[in-house]
Amino acid sequence: MARIVMKFGGTSMAGIERIRNVAARVKREVDAGNQVAVVVSAMAGETDRLVGFCREASSLYDAKEYDVVVSAGEQITSGLLAIALQAAGCKARSWLGWQLPINTSDAHGSARIGEIDTVALDASLADGVVAVIPGFQGVADGQRVTTLGRGGSDTSAVAMAAAMKADRCDIYTDVDGVYTTDPRIVPRARKLGKVTYEEMLELASVGAKVLQTRSVGLAMKENVRVRVLSSFEDGDTNDGHRGTLIVGEEEIDDMERQLITGIAHDKNEAKITLTQVSDRPGSVAAIFAPLADGGINVDMIVQNVAHSTGSTDVTFTVPAADLARSLDILDKAKDAIGYATIVHDTRVAKVSVVGVGMRSHAGVASTMFTTLGERGINIQAIATSEIKVSVLIEEDYTELAVRVLHTAYGLDAEDAA
């Protein structure tokens, strides 16, 4: 007998017929003798609808009441799935965040999970009852409902798997696994059997939309084995060859290890350049300290060689959604920073190559730069980590860059999908 957490996203829960399909998948695991907890998202589009209501009611809404409203979508789908499971012949009940409880911080709208009390849940699972748990929500101080931020149901599922000491956490989405890149751009992209936590964390942070970044970080911290599957594929979920496993590096055999695991892209970037910044100690801190205080995440940073006039240009990127706020912060701090002008550009994209293999192999960055240069693609900024190289390029070249890099690193499948 295994203990499994199954998480289903909004598209999987979009309507009663799809909820019945989810119930059938859950029943197969129960019939196989497994203890099952299911974490569900709201129906596709429902959270956006509820957020819209809050904004319509007041532009300065109370964050606590916002959480009460937007958490309702998951409460509805958890109850409906419990009903569908009961109709299919399974013992099932729903558990709301405060009933377990899932204790979180009191940062409403972006709460972080502290601990989960599973005593009552463990007893229920031992009695053969399927637990249906709304994702995205918890409780602060034992009283107020909280939410974890958009995409938080993935984090809920991983946290539940860690608290329950589950054997595996299956994340059902509208894709059948993690690919070497977006198959809509590269039809010859390959589905990966296993990916390390570190690689998935990097891929998620640089544009891959398969898993929420927080959920991957939590899985790595708690050593939760995660599997990404399609909720629209038929077949026995116990087939170990389906989907992609997110695991520790020790679980991947050397024969399976590749130099580069995947290529991701992100068009939600904005580039900001401050010209003629004073070239003196503390000038860079004067730029990024107020941005940090404003909650702006800065990514790539390039400081040019100082001009003969004792000044330099500083270029960096921020999320496109934060551009207006960033420009406002920098304008207010102009005297403290000491720059001449601000230039910004949203017609840029970040393209990244990721792989643990680059730790022990030289030439990964060189291959990237040479390949892009041969296609006339100019690199505007560069950022690296131990297992990642990212470049900023003109947005119009994004798909070309992804395709040529996918080929350059030998990631193309032998037969087109």
Side-chain angles (χ1 to χ4, degrees):
M1 175 188 294
R3 179 171 279 194
I4 298 172
V5 173
M6 305 172 73
K7 183 265 176 178
F8 293 90
T11 54
S12 306
M13 306 299 293
I16 297 301
E17 196 54 44
R18 289 191 177 180
I19 290 174
R20 288 197 183 102
N21 290 336
V22 168
R25 290 182 180 278
V26 174
K27 188 176 186 299
R28 283 201 290 267
E29 292 287 5
V30 174
D31 290 344
N34 296 320
Q35 293 182 354
V36 181
V38 187
V39 175
V40 295
S41 296
M43 293 185 185
E46 180 66 8
T47 303
D48 287 336
R49 188 177 74 93
L50 296 173
V51 170
F53 285 152
C54 291
R55 291 174 175 166
E56 187 177 346
S58 172
S59 59
L60 298 173
Y61 51 74
D62 183 342
K64 296 182 179 67
E65 303 306 336
Y66 168 90
D67 277 355
V68 171
V69 174
V70 300
S71 63
E74 283 76 11
Q75 177 173 326
I76 291 168
T77 49
S78 61
L80 289 174
L81 180 56
I83 292 170
L85 283 165
Q86 292 166 3
C90 290
K91 292 193 292 183
R93 67 152 291 184
S94 60
W95 295 81
L96 300 186
W98 60 268
Q99 292 174 317
L100 284 167
I102 300 172
N103 296 300
T104 74
S105 67
D106 61 358
H108 288 271
S110 58
R112 302 190 75 84
I113 295 174
E115 61 180 8
I116 302 174
D117 187 341
T118 65
V119 173
L121 180 65
D122 289 339
S124 182
L125 290 170
D127 195 35
V129 180
V130 176
V132 186
I133 303 164
F136 178 58
Q137 69 170 243
V139 61
D141 301 324
Q143 296 179 345
R144 297 305 303 249
V145 172
T146 57
T147 62
L148 310 182
R150 299 308 295 266
S153 291
D154 283 354
T155 300
S156 297
V158 173
M160 285 304 309
M164 293 165 49
K165 296 180 171 53
D167 296 279
R168 192 179 67 243
C169 179
D170 287 344
I171 306 288
Y172 286 82
T173 70
D174 52 3
V175 297
D176 61 349
V178 179
Y179 280 74
T180 48
T181 196
D182 188 340
R184 293 170 298 182
I185 294 177
V186 183
R188 297 176 72 90
R190 292 184 290 107
K191 186 174 71 175
L192 299 164
K194 292 180 181 178
V195 177
T196 69
Y197 294 124
E198 286 182 278
E199 289 169 326
M200 194 67 242
L201 192 59
E202 289 282 17
L203 287 168
S205 68
V206 295
K209 301 297 191 293
V210 180
L211 290 173
Q212 187 208 41
T213 306
R214 274 177 66 186
S215 69
V216 182
L218 182 58
M220 180 166 65
K221 175 177 176 289
E222 300 294 338
N223 199 31
V224 175
R225 300 178 84 246
V226 176
R227 184 166 61 158
V228 179
L229 298 156
S230 170
S231 55
F232 303 108
E233 276 193 347
D234 292 326
D236 181 3
T237 56
N238 291 304
D239 178 1
H241 297 292
R242 292 185 58 231
T244 300
L245 277 170
I246 316 299
V247 294
E249 192 172 343
E250 68 280 358
E251 284 199 46
I252 299 182
D253 187 271
D254 287 340
M255 293 292 290
E256 300 175 285
R257 197 179 306 278
Q258 298 183 123
L259 173 60
I260 297 299
T261 296
I263 298 170
H265 70 282
D266 188 358
K267 294 183 179 181
N268 297 311
E269 295 275 324
K271 182 178 72 169
I272 297 174
T273 298
L274 302 184
T275 66
Q276 298 180 39
V277 177
S278 299
D279 186 26
R280 55 179 172 75
S283 60
V284 173
I287 297 171
F288 297 113
L291 291 172
D293 291 341
I296 306 294
N297 290 319
V298 175
D299 188 9
M300 300 177 168
I301 302 173
V302 176
Q303 181 172 348
N304 296 332
V305 176
H307 302 301
S308 58
T309 56
S311 64
T312 184
D313 297 339
V314 179
T315 298
F316 55 92
T317 62
V318 298
D322 291 334
L323 175 61
R325 199 151 53 93
S326 300
L327 295 175
D328 181 61
I329 290 171
L330 293 168
D331 182 61
K332 291 176 180 177
K334 183 174 183 179
D335 290 341
I337 297 170
Y339 63 85
T341 60
I342 299 182
V343 181
H344 65 273
D345 187 1
T346 57
R347 301 184 308 266
V348 294
K350 179 169 63 178
V351 176
S352 308
V353 296
V354 176
V356 293
M358 67 175 68
R359 284 181 180 147
S360 54
H361 290 79
V364 172
S366 175
T367 297
M368 186 181 201
F369 303 154
T370 300
T371 301
L372 295 177
E374 288 174 348
R375 291 303 185 109
I377 301 173
N378 186 47
I379 296 171
Q380 302 179 22
I382 302 168
T384 65
S385 75
E386 191 179 21
I387 64 168
K388 176 201 71 183
V389 180
S390 297
V391 296
L392 193 71
I393 63 173
E394 187 178 332
E395 184 181 49
D396 291 345
Y397 290 103
T398 306
E399 294 189 5
L400 174 61
V402 170
R403 287 196 296 269
V404 297
L405 290 172
H406 197 268
T407 299
Y409 288 109
L411 298 177
D412 291 347
E414 293 183 5
D415 298 310

